[in-house]
Amino acid sequence: MATVEAVAGQMAHAHHDDRSFLRRYIFSTDHKMIGIQFLFACLFFLLVGGLLAMLIRWQVAFPGKPLPFGGIFPETMAPNGIILPEFYNALVTMHGTFMIFFAIMPLLVGVYANYLIPLKLGAPDMAFPRLNMMSFWLFVSSGIIMLASFFVEGGPSAAGWTVYAPLSAVPEYSGVSAGQQLWIVSIVFFAASSLLGSVNYITTVINMRAPGMTLFRMPLSIWSLFITAILALLAVPILAGALVMLLFDQTIGTTFFLPEHGGQPLLWQHLFWFFGHPEVYILILPAMGMVSDIIANGSRKPIFGYHSMVFAIAGIAFLGWIVWGHHMFQSGMNPLLGTSFMVSTMAIAVPTAIKVCNWLATMWRGNIQFHTPMLNATAFVAMFTVGGLSGIFMASNSLDIFIHDTYFIVAHIHYVLFGGSLFAIFAAIYFWYPKMFGRMMNETWGKVHFALTFVFYNLVFFPMHIIGIGGHMRRIYDPTQYTFMQPMQPMNRFITISAFLLFVSQIPFVINFFWSLFKGKKAEINPWRDNGLEWTVPSPPAHGNFEITPTVYRGPYEFSSPEVDEDFLPQTTPLNGDRRTAPEQVPGD
Amino acid sequence: MNWLPPALSTYAADIDRIFYVILVITGIIFVAVEVTLIVFMIKYRGREGRKAYYIEGNTKAEVIWTVTPAIIVLALAFASQDVWSRLKNPDRFPSDALTFSVEAKQFEWNFTYPGIDGVLGNGDDFTIRNQLHLPVGQPVVVHTSSIDVIHSFFIPVFRIKQDIVPGMVIPVWFEATETGEFELACAELCGLGHYRMRARVFVHSQEDFASWMAEQS
Amino acid sequence: MEGKKQPYMFIFGALAVLTVVEVGVAFIGLPRTLTIWVLVFLAVWKALLVALYFMHLKFEPLRLVLLAAAPLPLPFVLVLIVLVEYAR
Amino acid sequence: MSDAVVMSGGVHAEPGMRVYNQKLGMWVFLTSEVMFFTGLIGSYLILRSAPGVEWALPGEVLNVPLTAFNTFILICSSVTMVKAFAAIESGDQKGLRLYLVATVVLGAFFVGVQGFEYYKLIEEGFLPHCGEELAALVPSCHLYGSTFYTMTGFHGTHVSIGVLCMIWVTVKAFRGKYTQGDHGGVEVIGLYWHFVDLVWILLFTIVYLI
């Protein structure tokens, strides 16, 4: 209970913040500052992941040609700028690792769960602010450990981001020993960080909603972040356990995944994907939730079918536990399982279709405002649809025999994680930036960034479907080794050039982001005319968020309500007949 | 529009057919969604002084777009099932097949042939590195195994792929429909030489294959 | 919970006795399968006693009990599905 | 819509779980722990069920009487823990301190016995990758050693962490930080402690007896 007292104490301070610089900006327990810290850390890791992708694309398009700035790499990685095969494998592994664990997942659940949950629910802070701070610093430590693995002997892990045993378990097989162990330790730290975050989010959502904020008045962003937190809470420990076993196989001589002594390589895959498929939904559900908020705002209409949206999120999360085998159709798993996993996988198309149709129906007869967040959100719908539909190709187990482990799956995952999650993240950054930093991002440059990203993104990833259908394998250091892939080399070069342009297209965003921090137009309290609770407090909100605990009278999507003249109706505005509820005096314990 | 490699095994056309069926269905859905999106964006673009139509949902519409995809995907799952079990279920493998074995290791394929007696493990077996020879028009079962890490047996023109797991022996079958020389690739990241773990596939006429086999044993 | 006298010592006795019974069952030489089922049954009972009484689940609101029980289907999903591997 | 409640500290909120945050947080954390042990125990069950895998018989390698005694110790510590909680519920500070100290001692004793057991086993040549002599006797000795040390080791780590937290709570109890009306810390650490006991009950059965 000490924490609640501390929070109450902090509220009294809301106006004369007397925390030291260190307590305020570095070891802050304020969920908003932690969210912002996550944002900066994740954008850095996103940059790292992006740079690694550029190196990968260079090698695939121009195998054996020295990198333009290749001199900076040591002999063991790229002598004279020519990427070595072992370094290429490390690049592929690290690109996946950084993007999934250190960019997309924490951008969604680290940044926006932290920032939005208390603000949107009317709570003064998270349930456990100090654990929240620990969560961030564990995350930073894990990121540093992962970066450090570049500098140890043998380089970083080169076994793919899925670190399939036995390649990952026996140093002689991959040529990497210390790097692989650092990978494992880093992800275990990451798991601890994620665990602390999830406990916080779940407790806060269950116990700290403002009076009147019933579960079915929560915005879809909060619903999806809540369900995501449950998925992370239950899935990540499985990964932690599996990683520890893998580490023991490397270090103390256990044989969980080593077949010479009765271990099972397939057990690793089962454990990994039992975590991994819920993880895939951790990476997309929050994006869906935030896009729902932004589309309703941009269309100035209530979200279409709010309840079915909630049930669709829950349905996807539930199905996520019984479909992991579709990553393993060709793994040597019992073919009987292939059939049952195909059926459960196909079933996921149903809640997904509900969501896409409801987004479209939300825009139907709306009054659509094309601000940058809305543009990115519509791009999310368009691109996620492609990613969802390409998933059906792989869900068919017999077609998957051919396209498994080809560029088709690379295209699919990028349509979901870049076209889906990353566009949603851009939308969220533009949308909540004024609340986070008190200034608006520049609209024009936002639109330029959006247009360039949208075009080049499609030029990069759409052709990957085509070469994937041609049989082009993924994670291939030098495609020209195979006669049947040589005709695809022009396409590979096209993809690479587009990828470089896509990378360059992010410069307007970076400049806009940092320029607006200092020079952007001052933000009003409610620049997007939205209904959420976060738009009733100053931008940025003071420590402790709300001067008086708000009372909530309705759901979050009352746009263009016939009851009022404006086209929005904040959740906290009482209308005639709304009664402020009197609090009951006894807490539940 | 010929993105797929040539289809040169008995079941390759079946897999391609599933591809085209899914391509048409998803293509229609794709066009429908994107066109709707663009039309809505243009037609309902924001104008001053106009208010959006206030509606919170419509159960009938939602039921329609729940049930329709459910039917489509169930049908697709049903359509895929038979090909899958024909390819992967050892009980349904052709009974008149030749039997070879392959042992994968970093980074090569060692194919073992049964010799003229046609049975593996009978003295006259012989092993060739990185070359798979087989007759046209005759089913072949290859027993795959690995001595180090996971590899994946992938012959694009036959549309067959199977991961090879150390500690397991997994059978794979195919029947070529044309003679010629093709490529076999490793499709699962297996270490630094993964990209060059390649074998050549020679499909001979039945007579040529018989004489090749006799010559080798 | 408040004010009510809890049967803690009774539960303690039950746990101790069940532990002794378990060790006995393991070494008495019953058929293997039967031994396993009996042992699992006894262990689940012991676990339930700890959860219900020592962890007070018996006296908590239903929603907390549901939260605590929420992950329990997942171990079964994982193990039972993977065990299908051996059925070939 | 139900009426709002006042959380301690005077913050108004919509009724949630109707238990205080720390307790809810601990339960949420424990569901995550369930999944961690699901990974370990699940792997054990899967590896052991594989065709051709044969474990050592109960008592053949492991010392069952010693561990049964240790199990009893851990159960005792759970009882003292719950007694400590019952004491502070009725405002009995002396009882709280007495039972907390007993819990710490019993918990530490459990870890000590486990350490002694490990020492003996390693001396006899039973290692995570199994010893050469044992490998000749026990068919699936490598898996046996791998799973045994991983599962009991992680449980032991949990107990050790629990003991450390318990010492902290005990120190707070001696400083009089817990009262009849405010003793969330005792209840929350108790939940963790009983959970660890519960896991041991399952582990003892499946690792030592089956």
Side-chain angles (χ1 to χ4, degrees):
Chain A
M1 266 158 268
T3 332
V4 179
E5 277 157 26
V7 168
Q10 284 156 7
M11 286 195 54
H13 287 245
H15 284 287
H16 40 96
D17 199 329
D18 51 5
R19 291 169 297 158
S20 68
F21 178 84
L22 211 62
R23 300 289 297 174
R24 193 164 175 179
Y25 293 109
I26 312 293
F27 297 107
S28 176
T29 54
D30 180 353
H31 73 101
K32 298 184 292 297
M33 183 49 69
I34 294 171
I36 290 168
Q37 288 174 322
F38 262 111
L39 179 60
F40 281 98
C42 295
L43 288 177
F44 170 73
F45 289 129
L46 189 66
L47 174 70
V48 173
L51 284 169
L52 296 175
M54 294 305 108
L55 294 174
I56 296 171
R57 280 318 310 177
W58 175 270
Q59 170 60 31
V60 174
F62 311 108
K65 296 246 171 57
L67 288 162
F69 312 102
I72 55 172
F73 291 102
E75 291 287 297
T76 50
M77 292 177 175
N80 305 318
I82 297 169
I83 293 174
L84 293 174
E86 49 268 48
F87 185 48
Y88 177 82
N89 289 350
L91 288 173
V92 170
T93 307
M94 286 293 142
H95 168 68
T97 306
F98 272 107
M99 285 305 197
I100 285 169
F101 291 110
F102 295 99
I104 305 290
M105 183 173 168
L107 268 171
L108 293 167
V109 292
V111 180
Y112 287 101
N114 252 316
Y115 197 84
L116 295 180
I117 287 176
L119 272 173
K120 274 189 167 297
L121 295 181
D125 203 323
M126 284 287 175
F128 311 111
R130 272 173 297 176
L131 290 188
N132 208 11
M133 177 182 82
M134 260 173 75
S135 164
F136 173 71
W137 286 105
L138 279 169
F139 171 72
V140 171
S141 325
S142 79
I144 290 172
I145 295 171
M146 192 61 83
L147 282 174
S149 74
F150 275 96
F151 301 100
V152 297
E153 201 185 331
S157 168
W161 81 275
T162 55
V163 291
Y164 274 8
L167 181 62
S168 56
V170 181
E172 289 75 37
Y173 290 157
S174 65
V176 177
S177 152
Q180 184 61 48
Q181 286 162 20
L182 286 177
W183 193 95
I184 294 171
V185 171
S186 164
I187 299 296
V188 169
F189 269 68
F190 174 85
S193 158
S194 155
L195 168 65
L196 292 180
S198 302
V199 170
N200 238 326
Y201 307 149
I202 293 170
T203 310
T204 309
V205 170
I206 293 179
N207 255 7
M208 296 181 68
R209 284 167 285 128
M213 180 62 88
T214 56
L215 284 178
F216 283 102
R217 282 180 181 172
M218 297 199 306
L220 289 172
S221 52
I222 302 301
W223 262 113
S224 62
L225 288 166
F226 176 53
I227 290 175
T228 301
I230 296 174
L231 284 180
L233 180 84
L234 300 179
V236 174
I238 297 278
L239 175 71
L243 283 175
V244 168
M245 290 187 252
L246 185 63
L247 186 64
F248 285 174
D249 273 6
Q250 281 205 16
T251 51
I252 65 169
T254 61
T255 59
F256 289 103
F257 310 120
L258 302 177
E260 306 87 277
H261 298 298
Q264 294 185 16
L266 282 190
L267 175 63
W268 168 263
Q269 297 185 27
H270 278 297
L271 291 173
F272 185 87
W273 290 115
F274 190 61
F275 144 80
H277 205 79
E279 166 74 14
V280 170
Y281 294 140
I282 292 168
L283 297 169
I284 193 70
L285 286 180
M288 290 176 165
M290 295 193 294
V291 159
S292 304
D293 281 17
I294 293 169
I295 285 190
N297 175 295
S299 309
R300 315 306 296 163
K301 263 188 68 190
I303 197 84
F304 195 89
Y306 171 85
H307 282 82
S308 63
M309 290 296 251
V310 173
F311 295 132
I313 296 173
I316 292 174
F318 174 78
L319 286 172
W321 290 102
I322 52 170
V323 298
W324 78 87
H326 68 226
H327 298 268
M328 298 172 60
F329 281 150
Q330 316 314 331
S331 69
M333 175 177 78
N334 190 333
L336 289 176
L337 286 173
T339 306
S340 46
F341 277 124
M342 168 171 68
V343 174
S344 54
T345 303
M346 289 280 190
I348 288 182
V350 175
T352 314
I354 293 175
K355 296 203 76 84
V356 172
C357 291
N358 280 349
W359 286 321
L360 290 178
T362 304
M363 293 169 73
W364 171 69
R365 295 184 71 178
N367 191 32
I368 301 171
Q369 313 292 309
F370 290 106
H371 42 58
T372 316
M374 181 64 181
L375 285 174
N376 280 286
T378 41
F380 169 93
V381 177
M383 295 301 100
F384 176 75
T385 303
V386 180
L389 291 173
S390 65
I392 294 179
F393 288 76
M394 274 156 308
S396 156
N397 49 15
S398 27
L399 180 53
D400 183 71
I401 295 173
F402 177 53
I403 57 181
H404 180 77
D405 266 330
T406 65
Y407 264 83
F408 197 88
I409 180 79
V410 180
H412 166 72
I413 195 179
H414 285 93
Y415 262 88
V416 177
L417 290 189
F418 192 138
S421 305
L422 204 56
F423 273 113
I425 287 166
F426 282 136
I429 289 177
Y430 286 108
F431 193 72
W432 279 290
Y433 189 95
K435 191 53 64 183
M436 284 181 150
F437 300 107
R439 288 174 189 274
M440 307 293 289
M441 281 177 87
N442 183 299
E443 269 296 294
T444 315
W445 283 106
K447 284 177 179 152
V448 168
H449 165 237
F450 165 74
L452 291 173
T453 307
F454 186 77
V455 170
F456 290 123
Y457 156 77
N458 278 295
L459 294 182
V460 174
F461 296 109
F462 200 83
M464 287 188 183
H465 289 113
I466 298 169
I467 59 173
I469 289 304
H472 194 310
M473 289 88 71
R474 65 200 280 222
R475 295 167 171 173
I476 287 288
Y477 166 70
D478 181 359
T480 59
Q481 290 280 321
Y482 288 89
T483 337
F484 80 95
M485 295 204 296
Q486 279 162 6
M488 302 175 203
Q489 215 38 25
M491 190 84 97
N492 262 331
R493 282 195 286 273
F494 174 81
I495 292 172
T496 295
I497 290 163
S498 307
F500 292 158
L501 292 171
L502 177 62
F503 189 83
V504 172
S505 305
Q506 304 314 305
I507 292 175
F509 170 76
V510 174
I511 294 177
N512 192 354
F513 187 96
F514 286 99
W515 184 84
S516 303
L517 272 184
F518 304 102
K519 301 276 182 183
K521 197 176 90 192
K522 285 260 187 223
E524 311 153 30
I525 285 185
N526 190 0
W528 311 113
R529 296 179 295 138
D530 197 73
N531 299 332
L533 267 56
E534 77 272 34
W535 304 107
T536 61
V537 290
S539 310
H543 193 185
N545 296 348
F546 299 92
E547 251 176 272
I548 329 157
T549 309
T551 304
V552 175
Y553 299 99
R554 62 186 64 78
Y557 299 119
E558 294 296 307
F559 293 104
S560 302
S561 160
E563 293 186 68
V564 285
D565 293 336
E566 297 93 18
D567 64 355
F568 67 112
L569 177 54
Q571 290 183 274
T572 50
T573 308
L575 289 178
N576 291 338
D578 282 328
R579 187 177 54 89
R580 199 189 151 88
T581 47
E584 183 186 319
Q585 280 302 319
V586 190
D589 75 325
Chain B
M1 195 180 81
N2 207 0
W3 298 332
L4 290 152
L8 303 180
S9 71
T10 45
Y11 48 64
D14 297 330
I15 288 182
D16 291 3
R17 190 175 319 115
I18 295 174
F19 171 72
Y20 286 117
V21 168
I22 298 181
L23 185 64
V24 168
I25 292 173
T26 54
I28 292 170
I29 300 172
F30 168 74
V31 171
V33 169
E34 308 295 345
V35 167
T36 312
L37 188 65
I38 292 166
V39 167
F40 284 2
M41 284 171 75
I42 296 168
K43 195 163 168 203
Y44 303 118
R45 67 187 180 277
R47 268 157 289 185
E48 278 301 315
R50 202 177 122 243
K51 232 172 154 179
Y53 172 58
Y54 181 85
I55 180 172
E56 287 184 314
N58 179 323
T59 316
K60 207 164 147 194
E62 288 170 54
V63 169
I64 290 174
W65 60 59
T66 308
V67 174
T68 319
I71 294 171
I72 294 174
V73 292
L74 272 179
L76 284 177
F78 189 72
S80 296
Q81 175 44 32
D82 184 61
V83 180
W84 168 259
S85 105
R86 196 145 53 87
L87 261 74
K88 295 276 180 170
N89 186 350
D91 299 340
R92 294 190 59 189
F93 279 18
S95 49
D96 56 339
L98 284 175
T99 307
F100 304 162
S101 74
V102 64
E103 190 182 72
K105 69 174 192 188
Q106 289 180 327
F107 301 97
E108 61 188 52
W109 306 90
N110 289 304
F111 291 94
T112 302
Y113 298 88
I116 28 178
D117 64 352
V119 185
L120 279 172
N122 263 7
D124 64 344
D125 295 359
F126 59 94
T127 300
I128 301 181
R129 189 166 156 263
N130 287 346
Q131 286 188 18
L132 171 60
H133 293 263
L134 67 152
V136 71
Q138 158 97 45
V140 174
V141 173
V142 180
H143 293 279
T144 65
S145 61
S146 163
I147 59 167
D148 39 42
V149 301
I150 299 174
H151 301 278
S152 189
F153 183 96
F154 179 34
I155 306 177
V157 290
F158 293 172
R159 305 287 187 275
I160 186 68
K161 184 181 288 125
Q162 176 61 57
D163 284 9
I164 307 177
V165 184
M168 293 171 77
V169 176
I170 303 167
V172 180
W173 82 273
F174 40 84
E175 179 181 340
T177 54
E178 259 179 55
T179 56
E181 189 195 322
F182 311 105
E183 283 175 301
L184 183 156
C186 177
E188 179 69 57
L189 181 64
C190 61
L192 66 92
H194 167 56
Y195 70 100
R196 55 181 160 81
M197 187 165 164
R198 165 178 177 266
R200 288 186 291 165
V201 179
F202 299 91
V203 182
H204 304 282
S205 67
Q206 304 245 357
E207 306 80 58
D208 288 357
F209 181 76
S211 55
W212 175 84
M213 189 72 110
E215 199 179 295
Q216 295 286 333
S217 0
Chain C
M1 279 169 282
E2 287 88 359
K4 255 186 282 162
K5 189 85 184 120
Q6 295 292 330
Y8 293 136
M9 293 321 279
F10 175 75
I11 303 297
F12 172 53
L15 289 172
V17 170
L18 283 173
T19 307
V20 174
V21 172
E22 273 197 301
V23 176
V25 168
F27 289 96
I28 208 166
L30 291 173
R32 187 92 185 104
T33 323
L34 183 65
T35 313
I36 292 176
W37 282 111
V38 171
L39 285 175
V40 168
F41 178 76
L42 292 175
V44 168
W45 259 112
K46 284 165 75 184
L48 274 178
L49 287 179
V50 172
L52 290 178
Y53 290 93
F54 288 177
M55 298 171 91
H56 308 303
L57 266 189
K58 194 163 179 239
F59 313 101
E60 298 288 5
L62 178 66
R63 46 183 92 176
L64 185 63
V65 178
L66 291 177
L67 179 139
L72 294 183
L74 295 175
F76 292 94
V77 169
L78 175 69
V79 173
L80 293 180
I81 290 185
V82 178
L83 285 183
V84 176
E85 288 281 2
Y86 305 136
R88 42 175 141 192
Chain D
M1 189 187 109
S2 41
D3 285 334
V5 294
V6 184
M7 301 299 287
S8 20
V11 182
H12 294 183
E14 189 67 8
M17 195 54 87
R18 290 190 178 272
V19 299
Y20 55 94
N21 283 351
Q22 279 78 352
K23 185 167 160 186
L24 174 59
M26 178 50 83
W27 272 109
V28 172
F29 171 71
L30 291 182
T31 59
S32 178
E33 288 279 48
V34 169
M35 293 311 283
F36 181 76
F37 282 103
T38 292
L40 298 184
I41 300 177
S43 303
Y44 162 87
L45 293 175
I46 290 161
L47 289 169
R48 190 170 172 179
S49 314
V53 167
E54 262 186 69
W55 244 233
L57 291 172
E60 204 174 20
V61 175
L62 304 173
N63 187 342
V64 174
L66 178 71
T67 312
F69 169 68
N70 216 14
T71 307
F72 178 71
I73 294 291
L74 202 59
I75 290 172
C76 288
S77 81
S78 250
V79 175
T80 55
M81 183 66 235
V82 85
K83 281 290 203 186
F85 174 68
I88 191 64
E89 284 252 282
S90 53
D92 175 6
Q93 292 285 348
K94 217 175 121 196
L96 171 73
R97 289 166 197 172
L98 180 73
Y99 282 120
L100 278 180
V101 170
T103 312
V104 170
V105 171
L106 288 168
F109 188 77
F110 175 87
V111 177
V113 172
Q114 209 186 15
F116 174 73
E117 183 199 12
Y118 273 25
Y119 172 75
K120 281 307 226 189
L121 287 172
I122 289 170
E123 207 178 49
E124 287 162 19
F126 181 55
L127 296 161
H129 51 89
C130 205
E132 275 176 33
E133 293 162 45
L134 271 175
L137 293 171
V138 182
S140 302
C141 187
H142 287 90
L143 289 180
Y144 189 47
S146 304
T147 52
F148 170 78
Y149 280 103
T150 307
M151 286 193 292
T152 57
F154 268 100
H155 180 265
T157 314
H158 275 83
V159 181
S160 309
I161 292 170
V163 170
L164 292 179
C165 297
M166 194 71 74
I167 290 173
W168 182 56
V169 169
T170 311
V171 169
K172 278 180 83 174
F174 273 89
R175 288 188 183 161
K177 301 275 184 191
Y178 299 113
T179 61
Q180 188 170 6
D182 177 9
H183 49 266
V186 180
E187 188 176 16
V188 169
I189 185 74
L191 285 175
Y192 175 80
W193 194 256
H194 299 310
F195 174 78
V196 172
D197 184 24
L198 191 157
V199 171
W200 183 254
I201 286 173
L202 299 177
L203 280 184
F204 174 61
T205 306
I206 66 167
V207 174
Y208 288 83
L209 298 182
I210 288 183

